[in-house]
Amino acid sequence: MGKNTFTLTDNRDGKSFEYDIISGTRGPDVVDIRSFYKDSGMFTYDPGYTSTASCDSKITFIDGENSELRHRGYLIQDLAGKHSYLDVCYLLMRGRLPNEEESKGFDLEIRHRSFLHEAVIRIFDAMPDHAHPMATLGAATMSLATIYKDHLNLDDEDSFKEMRRRIIAKMPTMAAMAYRNSLGIPMIYPDVDRYFTENFLYMMRAYPGGKMKSLGNGLSEEIKQVEVDALDAIFTLHADHEQNASTTTVRAVGSTEAHPYVSIASGIAALWGSAHGGANEKVMDQLKLIGDVKNVPTYIAKAKDRNDPFRLMGFGHRVYKNRDPRAESLRGLQKKLKDELNLDSKLLDIAQAVEEAALADDYFKDRGLYPNIDFYSGVILTALKIPVEMFTPIFVIGRTVGWITQWSELKQDPTAKIARPRQLYTGK
């Protein structure tokens, strides 16, 4: 028996099978069972892949027990709000933060790549008014594969970089246009004089001709820097999160040799679910259901009642068994927004009352049910006047860099194979 091996014994006949133990930089060791079926004639059974490592990655690390999230070795607390979202994009794709010159150059390139081919814009015209922005955003992303079909040479480094930067640059434009299409109002084109995040807010809010909403007395609803900073931090906090459902989907579709933008479109579809990216919409629905601060104790009691189907949305996490480090960043951001924008929102008050009640209750603390990123992001986006139907598209904007970086890593892995899980058949 080898020192760094793991032995499985079939107690039916006493046969043993030995497998190598692989140690990563951080996290649990991994048993390499790639030959298990060949050796034993059996499959392993792991619904939801909760104990299965599907790939080798150098991008993001999560320690759920200790509330730790790192991108390329950097703690998320040292990135969100301290480096621009575009600098974090550079970090994820290139493995290091840019210097000042590289940062400016990357920013400038993203600004000029933010415009859409007119054929993509015509796709929005074909969609009905009031369509959910996630549906039209997915369709628009898929359509990019019809336009940029000849830029897939992975051996050409410049072409490869161009492919990745293009999708990052165009996603906010497509998201904003998907929103405006849902309202049946004219599209706003990007403004190259504006930074990535400010540009998105501009395309969401502006009137034709680039004018901002008039507030009377010669004033207009100009975009405030605190709003840009807040949304930029939210984009960073959503940038990547290891092998979650949508990222796993992007990798699985990418493993079939599908176009990279088709893979990203598949990630958008996976993210839309209420158990994934749509969770913050559910948080807002629940805050509206609670309706008033005085009703919070009643709903806290309902959440603790095993016989009551009510569950408190935005608390607990599949990976984090303690606090969600992203939520901790958003918690401070929420307070800053409330103070600097002089917010007096009923939903903010309800959310604060829910948070305080849950954090003071041993029922939630004993079960590790702390507020997660969805609890705070929905409240903050509401404070930024972002409509609920745009919460998940904003998640898409932030996560696009993670998806395309994960796709790139898959393509550069010489051992990668087409994704093909097996099954336990229990039918006739």
Side-chain angles (χ1 to χ4, degrees), residues 20 25 30 97 206 220 227 235 257 262 326 397:
D20 290 336
T25 309
V30 174
L97 286 167
S220 63
E227 297 178 293
F235 286 154
E257 303 299 333
V262 170
R326 302 167 301 168
I397 294 171

Side-chain angles (χ1 to χ4, degrees), residues 151-178:
H151 297 274
L152 299 175
N153 182 4
L154 304 186
D155 295 326
D156 182 344
E157 186 175 357
D158 290 336
S159 178
F160 191 58
K161 290 178 182 177
E162 181 183 356
M163 177 275 297
R164 298 191 299 186
R165 295 178 177 192
R166 182 191 301 117
I167 189 66
I168 291 169
K170 296 186 187 308
M171 194 60 77
T173 308
M174 292 190 294
M177 289 188 174

Side-chain angles (χ1 to χ4, degrees), residues 115-127 136 139-149 170 174 177 187 189:
F115 291 86
L116 299 181
H117 192 290
E118 290 296 315
V120 177
I121 298 176
R122 289 195 292 272
I123 287 176
F124 291 109
D125 293 336
M127 297 292 176
T136 50
T141 303
M142 181 77 76
S143 75
L144 294 178
T146 69
I147 297 167
Y148 303 106
K149 55 184 180 296
K170 296 186 187 308
M174 292 190 294
M177 289 188 174
M187 303 299 187
Y189 284 68

Side-chain angles (χ1 to χ4, degrees), residues 337-364:
L337 278 174
K338 190 170 184 179
D339 294 340
E340 294 196 25
L341 297 181
N342 297 316
L343 298 175
D344 184 18
S345 168
K346 188 174 183 179
L347 289 180
L348 278 172
D349 292 338
I350 296 171
Q352 185 174 347
V354 169
E355 176 190 0
E356 290 174 354
L359 291 178
D361 195 312
D362 289 339
Y363 176 90
F364 295 96

Side-chain angles (χ1 to χ4, degrees), residues 134 246 266-274 276-278 392 395-396 399 403:
M134 282 294 284
S246 56
S266 72
I268 293 174
L271 188 71
W272 194 359
S274 61
H276 194 5
T392 316
F395 198 149
V396 170
R399 183 55 55 85
W403 287 335

